[in-house]
């Protein structure tokens, strides 16, 4: 039995991490997506967690799976797409430190998860189902 299963977006956040010698912003690759963040926090509390989602079959998707595994999150519900890429988000900071986001997901793999790809047994075996709303912001293309 899982304490929490989450379904929704998994993405790479490229967060601004300084500037180059020429004053150009530098970005660092970080795992992102609210559902995964919730699961990581719950797993740190010693609870059993699982994720249902879709990433690209690329280095970004593999990076996200490895981070989830390191966080003790069950990834048996994670699907890899050969047709669409992992969603990317660039996090920009203004002079006051306020964030703005540029998303690259037209579409992103997270938007392409189909009903047939969902492992419903994970939902049946969980106490709490958490889902992220960003996957609902665009019409499903399948």
């Amino acid at each position: 039995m899982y304490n929490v299963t989450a379904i929704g977006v998994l993405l790479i956040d490229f967060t601004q991490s300084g500037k180059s010698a020429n004053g150009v912003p530098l970005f660092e690759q970080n795992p992102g997506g609210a559902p995964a963040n919730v699961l990581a926090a719950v797993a740190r509390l010693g609870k059993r967690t699982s994720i249902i989602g879709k990433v690209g079959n690329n280095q970004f998707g593999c990076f996200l799976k490895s981070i989830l595994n390191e966080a003790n999150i069950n990834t048996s519900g994670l699907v890899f797409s050969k047709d669409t890429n992992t969603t990317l988000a660039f996090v920009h900071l203004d002079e006051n430190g306020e964030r703005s986001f540029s998303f690259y997901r037209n579409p992103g793999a997270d938007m392409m998860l189909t009903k047939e790809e969902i492992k419903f047994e994970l939902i049946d075996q969980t106490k709490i189902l958490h889902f992220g709303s960003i996957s609902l912001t665009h019409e499903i293309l399948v």
Side-chain angles (χ1 to χ4, degrees):
M1 178 66 76
Y2 295 99
N3 297 97
V4 180
T5 295
I7 186 168
V9 64
L10 283 165
L11 54 79
I12 299 292
D13 279 326
F14 283 100
T15 42
Q16 199 169 337
S17 62
K19 293 193 176 195
S20 71
N22 296 329
V24 177
L26 299 173
F27 291 87
E28 179 179 54
Q29 172 182 306
N30 291 289
N37 292 340
V38 167
L39 293 178
V42 172
R44 279 193 295 275
L45 296 172
K47 303 300 182 183
R48 294 191 69 223
T49 61
S50 181
I51 190 151
I52 298 170
K54 193 169 191 176
V55 295
N57 189 14
N58 53 33
Q59 290 179 341
F60 296 130
C62 292
F63 169 75
L64 289 169
K65 182 177 181 182
S66 71
I67 294 296
L68 292 168
N69 287 334
E70 288 174 21
N72 294 316
I73 297 168
N74 177 318
T75 57
S76 67
L78 187 62
V79 178
F80 285 86
S81 172
K82 62 180 178 7
D83 300 319
T84 53
N85 290 317
T86 304
T87 295
L88 306 178
F90 285 82
V91 184
H92 308 278
L93 299 174
D94 69 14
E95 60 278 352
N96 297 321
E98 292 295 319
R99 300 178 305 163
S100 63
F101 299 85
S102 298
F103 288 96
Y104 291 86
R105 64 189 298 253
N106 191 24
D110 63 290
M111 297 170 65
M112 305 304 288
L113 183 68
T114 65
K115 179 181 177 182
E116 295 74 30
E117 293 171 321
I118 296 172
K119 291 183 99 176
F120 286 98
E121 61 269 20
L122 292 174
I123 297 170
D124 293 339
Q125 298 170 11
T126 194
K127 295 177 182 177
I128 298 171
L129 178 64
H130 171 77
F131 67 93
S133 60
I134 195 164
S135 295
L136 303 175
T137 60
H138 290 81
E139 184 177 339
I140 296 174
L141 303 173
V142 201

